[in-house]
Amino acid sequence: MRIREFKSVVKKYRTVFFDAFGVLKNHKGIIPGIENTFKYLDERGIDYYILTNDASRNPEALSGFYQQNGIHCITPDKIISSGMLAMDFLRSKIKTGAVAYLGTSASSHYIESAGLEAIPVQELQDGQFEDIKCMVFLDDEGFDWNNDINKVINLIRKKNMTVVVANTDINYPVNRNDIAVAIGGIASMVEDIVHKNFIRFGKPDAQMFMFGHERAMKKQPSLKRNEILMVGDTLYTDIIGGNKFGMDTALVLSGNTLPDMADIRIKGSGIIPDYICESVAIDPEESFVNAGNIHVKD
Amino acid sequence: MRIREFKSVVKKYRTVFFDAFGVLKNHKGIIPGIENTFKYLDERGIDYYILTNDASRNPEALSGFYQQNGIHCITPDKIISSGMLAMDFLRSKIKTGAVAYLGTSASSHYIESAGLEAIPVQELQDGQFEDIKCMVFLDDEGFDWNNDINKVINLIRKKNMTVVVANTDINYPVNRNDIAVAIGGIASMVEDIVHKNFIRFGKPDAQMFMFGHERAMKKQPSLKRNEILMVGDTLYTDIIGGNKFGMDTALVLSGNTLPDMADIRIKGSGIIPDYICESVAIDPEESFVNAGNIHVKD
Amino acid sequence: MRIREFKSVVKKYRTVFFDAFGVLKNHKGIIPGIENTFKYLDERGIDYYILTNDASRNPEALSGFYQQNGIHCITPDKIISSGMLAMDFLRSKIKTGAVAYLGTSASSHYIESAGLEAIPVQELQDGQFEDIKCMVFLDDEGFDWNNDINKVINLIRKKNMTVVVANTDINYPVNRNDIAVAIGGIASMVEDIVHKNFIRFGKPDAQMFMFGHERAMKKQPSLKRNEILMVGDTLYTDIIGGNKFGMDTALVLSGNTLPDMADIRIKGSGIIPDYICESVAIDPEESFVNAGNIHVKD
Amino acid sequence: MRIREFKSVVKKYRTVFFDAFGVLKNHKGIIPGIENTFKYLDERGIDYYILTNDASRNPEALSGFYQQNGIHCITPDKIISSGMLAMDFLRSKIKTGAVAYLGTSASSHYIESAGLEAIPVQELQDGQFEDIKCMVFLDDEGFDWNNDINKVINLIRKKNMTVVVANTDINYPVNRNDIAVAIGGIASMVEDIVHKNFIRFGKPDAQMFMFGHERAMKKQPSLKRNEILMVGDTLYTDIIGGNKFGMDTALVLSGNTLPDMADIRIKGSGIIPDYICESVAIDPEESFVNAGNIHVKD
């Protein structure tokens, strides 16, 4: 497939959904040139949101990263995290009671904001098992895997309850060379052992895109799915999920899918993006010129 | 769990989604008493839709079955089939060209209504492979499995294309004692062989419920998910899917889940419905009395 | 990895196990030069067997193919087929009664040679279900998929019985460009639908290599596993299975694994052969010279 | 199925293979009456072995448990552990170099006895990755899951190597009510993340039974598979594996498969033991009387 310039692709859409890691940031921090991208989008009146499989911290904290890096337009309302879907689920389906969780104390935000009591698995006593209404897998950090994974397995075996996984990813990059098990990977191991059916939130599941679409329609009530461009670096989450939801999709080569492997991966997987772009970064000068041109032309 | 009367459960909701097989009909035809159920819902102003994993015929034909059985309120607009999601997908993502399919000629409705040319796999010539933009698995009938499944496998291997499965079910009941492979089962076998990622539509996927919700909001624009009751006979599709989408759920014991196994299945699967009811059928006399009471009370 | 000459590799072993398709033959017939390979092995006193995932016909018929192509040394006792393992199983575990099967009438050899009555599924009457002791998946040909697969599903659901799959492969090549569903693929679809545990025979399972080893020990009673070289074109069956059994393994590039992909496949799969060879074919002149040299040296 | 007395079942066989947990011992220790079982077998000249998915300690240590509980006939040569298969594999396929492992220091016996250097993952330095020839999953204890699982994942991603799992079990019982993740469960999670193919040893794989058969033939060279009775408490490992290998199988109800669920489990799984027995324990008085009778009779 032909490589396209992101700027010329994106201008056909009313809204953009960005994946975070591999698209806007990487292990070194913000990808250079992103600030021009958002300037370009703002100038053209194209709305944008970040869709991220992450339940490790709340939208304020997730947006804080961009703020600290000078991308002030990424306010908390621009963040759609898989944790928010879990929170919505808890609010509508659990209603009252205590919820056990694996994750950092920051991640418990998604339980507490649903009006429920969040109990970290490490503090859970045997006698409390009966009081637990739901178990949530939030983050891979903040607990002792040796003890607490086994404790969760026995909790779920003894008390029938709804189990929620707030991030479908099975691993995530920690630096240029290394990856780590994500909470979704731990949850899959537990699910295999207890033979129960967990409820998972996150891309590529349609519910994530639906949540984003609903959020975007608050600003643009008439926004149709095919007026949204989903931009991601991973065929198996961003692109297949975006395609299925009826959005147009752009694969970027700044993350998970390396430039020399893109064609092989697309052919091998049968997951076909509408566009391929090197990156979403926009060269500052270009940005201004084009933005100017566009205003004239339009 | 305690068995509840369907009538007393449903009156708390603004809209009901019914699964079809095992809930409204079975191998003998319409489940007796269903006509009173719809009368009861109409009297109380509760809206209803049928959500069915079926792409074998169009909504008109699917509604025709109810019409012929005297349930005149099930008009085509009350039917939400997984085939309609596939049709929506084709319309927004494929746009032009020819689409190959496995299924009956009736099932090709979902391709043609998307404005595309539908070519049954059995008529596909080797030279045409390049023209095919998409392959759709619609129905298990209407083709020769020995020849046409292998033909599809080689089509997908030779030409990179989007592959759609318009019914996620892997089997379906054909009479009281027997089941048959559904098109979703054939599609899974093909997917394992070609190692590509197909796009699937149907319960328990969120997109099916989202489609139903959007349809229902045309009548009741303020309808929230937790004002909808999803009624089904299968924990693994209707109930887990309904729960995840944020609807309340009722398991009925008139189909797939037998009365004496319901508790074991719920405990074994970890999929917990909000209610269990024997059936959705309502006794006619009761219906009138209650409906009267209700009108007085309300 | 470095490409090695097959002749220099094989001379270190007392026995060779060959995969058939992609190693000794392909869609055009016998791979040229194979006759010299067997001459070379015979001259050096290296024993050889063909290990093949095939239950479509008996060892006599399988050896007949080589005989007709002038490779007279491949007598029936040189053939180890997965069907023979199924036959052994039937003989020791089923003992008496009728066995239903999917496959050609030639494939029923493996049931009848076990002293059991073989009933093709298409001839099976509903009333006979109780008499069936075992169901065997033998071959993808010889039956009507539309009818007989569903019939098998209902047979297995109604009568608890042992189910045997006499060929683990899910697909096989039919010509240079095309593949077809193998009986192992059909069996996997059925297993997913009935939720029962089938017994599978064929590479990469250890039992296949064990059978070969036992056969070879009839000639060389002291033969150790690491004195056998397993030669195959497929990492996922021949090589991983041979490695696990404790044999040395040689990957050839004349079949499934193409020369330019071998390194990527080995790295991607983590399946590491001891050697890589272009092919097992030996150039005739070379063969004689070398064979001579070897006799002198030895 | 009818419940049979173990004594009357076992007397038809020349050799018995026992699973350990749930058959000979449970969370409280040795199952009472086992000493009479072995006395009975000794008197009749029936040979016996313990086949256990365990690589946590060497056969001497595993036999020590029985010795300490007064079962002196269980000498180290009566123990067949999955760790021994891993050791055999390492000896024949790895030959020289360093092997990294997850497990207790006791478990490293299986690497060191193969003549290789065993390096616990926690001591592995980044610079050493190149020297590692093989990675072995031995036991769930003896390492820090949070750190060392991620370290293993990156080791396997960076250096292509053979990965061995010395125990296929995904969980194991720790007391009457609780289970824990076994090393096989951790290995499966890692395999899903790195997308490589690991080599697994343990029941139900044929290689485990083959190893037992070879050991038993040292005493009884003519021993055929159908002269061995495999006794286990788990359909999915002991029984299906024993059946496939061609041994007769007895399910006992003293462990994993509870008496009131045995029929449902057999029907649900399609895994059919030749016999069902309450337990292998033999009442002492009965034992002597019967043993006497038998000597007279025989």
Side-chain angles (χ1 to χ4, degrees), chain C residues 226-275:
Chain C
N226 60 11
E227 296 173 321
I228 306 171
L229 180 69
M230 173 73 219
V231 183
D233 69 327
T234 309
L235 291 169
Y236 298 90
T237 53
D238 309 311
I239 306 303
I240 196 172
N243 281 344
K244 180 174 167 181
F245 190 68
M247 301 185 292
D248 282 358
T249 51
L251 178 74
V252 290
L253 307 177
S254 50
N256 219 340
T257 307
L258 301 176
D260 58 343
M261 291 297 284
D263 273 339
I264 289 175
R265 289 278 181 86
I266 289 168
K267 222 174 158 185
S269 66
I271 304 170
I272 309 170
D274 295 290
Y275 312 100

Side-chain angles (χ1 to χ4, degrees), chain A residues 143-146 149-150 153-154 157-158 170-171 177-181 185-186 189 192-193, chain D residues 143-146 149-150 153-154 157-158 170-171 177-181 185-186 189 192-193:
Chain A
F143 62 95
D144 175 8
W145 294 15
N146 293 56
I149 294 175
N150 285 333
I153 287 172
N154 289 302
R157 288 173 71 237
K158 288 172 188 174
I170 62 170
N171 62 266
N177 297 312
D178 293 318
I179 64 172
V181 180
I186 293 172
M189 179 177 73
D192 283 350
I193 288 172
Chain D
F143 62 95
D144 175 8
W145 294 15
N146 293 56
I149 294 175
N150 285 332
I153 287 171
N154 290 301
R157 289 172 71 236
K158 288 172 187 174
I170 63 169
N171 61 268
N177 297 311
D178 294 318
I179 62 172
V181 180
I186 293 173
M189 180 177 72
D192 283 349
I193 289 172

Side-chain angles (χ1 to χ4, degrees), chain D residues 145-188:
Chain D
W145 294 15
N146 293 56
N147 288 323
D148 296 340
I149 294 175
N150 285 332
K151 201 166 172 184
V152 165
I153 287 171
N154 290 301
L155 167 65
I156 299 171
R157 289 172 71 236
K158 288 172 187 174
K159 171 90 190 325
N160 197 26
M161 65 178 69
T162 297
V163 180
V164 172
V165 185
N167 177 351
T168 46
D169 292 346
I170 63 169
N171 61 268
Y172 65 100
V174 288
N175 60 44
R176 184 204 295 268
N177 297 311
D178 294 318
I179 62 172
V181 180
I183 191 67
I186 293 173
S188 291

Side-chain angles (χ1 to χ4, degrees), chain B residues 143-146 149-150 153-154 157-158 170-171 177-181 185-186 189 192-193, chain C residues 143-146 149-150 153-154 157-158 170-171 177-181 185-186 189 192-193:
Chain B
F143 62 96
D144 175 8
W145 295 14
N146 294 56
I149 294 175
N150 285 333
I153 287 171
N154 290 302
R157 288 173 70 237
K158 288 172 188 173
I170 62 170
N171 62 267
N177 298 310
D178 293 317
I179 64 171
V181 180
I186 293 173
M189 180 177 72
D192 283 350
I193 289 172
Chain C
F143 62 96
D144 175 7
W145 295 14
N146 293 55
I149 294 175
N150 285 332
I153 287 171
N154 290 301
R157 288 172 71 237
K158 288 171 187 174
I170 62 170
N171 61 267
N177 298 311
D178 293 318
I179 64 172
V181 180
I186 293 173
M189 180 177 72
D192 283 349
I193 288 172

Side-chain angles (χ1 to χ4, degrees), chain D residues 24 39 105 116 122 139-140 236 279:
Chain D
L24 302 179
K39 200 178 288 177
S105 57
L116 297 161
Q122 60 267 37
D139 194 30
D140 61 293
Y236 298 91
S279 132

Side-chain angles (χ1 to χ4, degrees), chain B:
Chain B
M1 282 182 74
R2 190 161 71 85
I3 305 272
R4 306 283 290 270
E5 204 189 18
F6 180 68
K7 216 169 46 181
S8 62
V9 164
V10 77
K11 69 183 180 193
K12 293 182 277 183
Y13 297 89
R14 293 176 66 190
T15 291
V16 199
F17 288 173
F18 291 106
D19 176 36
F21 205 94
V23 178
L24 302 178
K25 60 181 181 177
N26 61 25
H27 60 279
K28 290 192 224 157
I30 288 286
I31 289 180
I34 296 298
E35 60 282 11
N36 300 311
T37 305
F38 288 110
K39 198 178 290 177
Y40 178 79
L41 296 175
D42 281 338
E43 283 166 357
R44 298 190 138 261
I46 299 168
D47 198 14
Y48 43 82
Y49 297 90
I50 298 174
L51 266 71
T52 180
N53 284 357
D54 194 328
S56 68
R57 68 211 82 200
N58 65 24
E60 283 69 26
L62 291 169
S63 113
F65 169 83
Y66 296 92
Q67 301 284 335
Q68 287 152 27
N69 282 279
I71 315 280
H72 300 290
C73 58
I74 303 300
T75 44
D77 62 300
K78 292 295 188 192
I79 305 282
I80 315 287
S81 78
S82 55
M84 293 160 70
L85 274 79
M87 184 178 70
D88 254 29
F89 173 85
L90 294 172
R91 189 179 283 133
S92 76
K93 294 292 294 183
I94 305 301
K95 286 156 195 161
T96 61
V99 173
Y101 74 94
L102 286 180
T104 58
S105 58
S107 68
S108 71
H109 155 85
Y110 290 112
I111 298 169
E112 286 157 358
S113 297
L116 298 159
E117 185 192 356
I119 302 180
V121 165
Q122 60 267 38
E123 291 177 14
L124 193 63
Q125 306 299 320
D126 268 27
Q128 284 180 292
F129 279 20
E130 265 312 303
D131 306 329
I132 302 298
K133 294 284 177 56
C134 182
M135 167 71 209
V136 189
F137 289 83
L138 288 168
D139 195 30
D140 61 294
E141 297 189 77
F143 62 96
D144 175 8
W145 295 14
N146 294 56
N147 287 324
D148 296 339
I149 294 175
N150 285 333
K151 201 168 173 184
V152 165
I153 287 171
N154 290 302
L155 168 65
I156 298 171
R157 288 173 70 237
K158 288 172 188 173
K159 170 86 190 327
N160 198 26
M161 64 177 69
T162 297
V163 180
V164 172
V165 185
N167 177 352
T168 46
D169 291 347
I170 62 170
N171 62 267
Y172 65 100
V174 289
N175 60 44
R176 185 206 295 268
N177 298 310
D178 293 317
I179 64 171
V181 180
I183 190 67
I186 293 173
S188 290
M189 180 177 72
V190 172
E191 200 177 22
D192 283 350
I193 289 172
V194 298
H195 292 296
K196 301 213 176 183
N197 298 265
F198 297 176
I199 290 182
R200 287 186 157 66
F201 293 106
K203 295 174 287 179
D205 190 74
Q207 216 148 331
M208 188 86 175
F209 302 105
M210 186 169 60
F211 195 99
H213 188 204
E214 284 173 2
R215 169 73 59 87
M217 283 196 295
K218 288 188 182 166
K219 260 198 163 170
Q220 303 177 309
S222 68
L223 182 71
K224 293 205 173 60
R225 292 182 204 173
N226 61 11
E227 296 173 322
I228 307 170
L229 181 69
M230 174 72 219
V231 183
D233 70 327
T234 309
L235 290 170
Y236 299 91
T237 53
D238 309 311
I239 305 303
I240 198 173
N243 281 344
K244 179 174 167 182
F245 190 68
M247 301 186 292
D248 282 358
T249 51
L251 178 73
V252 291
L253 307 177
S254 50
N256 220 340
T257 308
L258 300 175
D260 58 342
M261 290 297 284
D263 273 340
I264 289 174
R265 289 279 181 85
I266 290 168
K267 221 172 159 186
S269 66
I271 304 171
I272 309 170
D274 293 290
Y275 311 100
I276 304 180
C277 302
E278 286 286 358
S279 132
V280 300
I282 292 182
D283 180 27
E285 299 202 18
E286 251 193 291
S287 162
F288 285 112
V289 175
N290 275 301
N293 283 345
I294 286 150
H295 279 281
V296 173
K297 272 190 196 163
D298 288 5

Side-chain angles (χ1 to χ4, degrees), chain C residues 112-127:
Chain C
E112 286 157 358
S113 297
L116 298 161
E117 184 192 358
I119 302 180
V121 165
Q122 60 268 37
E123 291 177 13
L124 193 63
Q125 306 298 320
D126 267 27

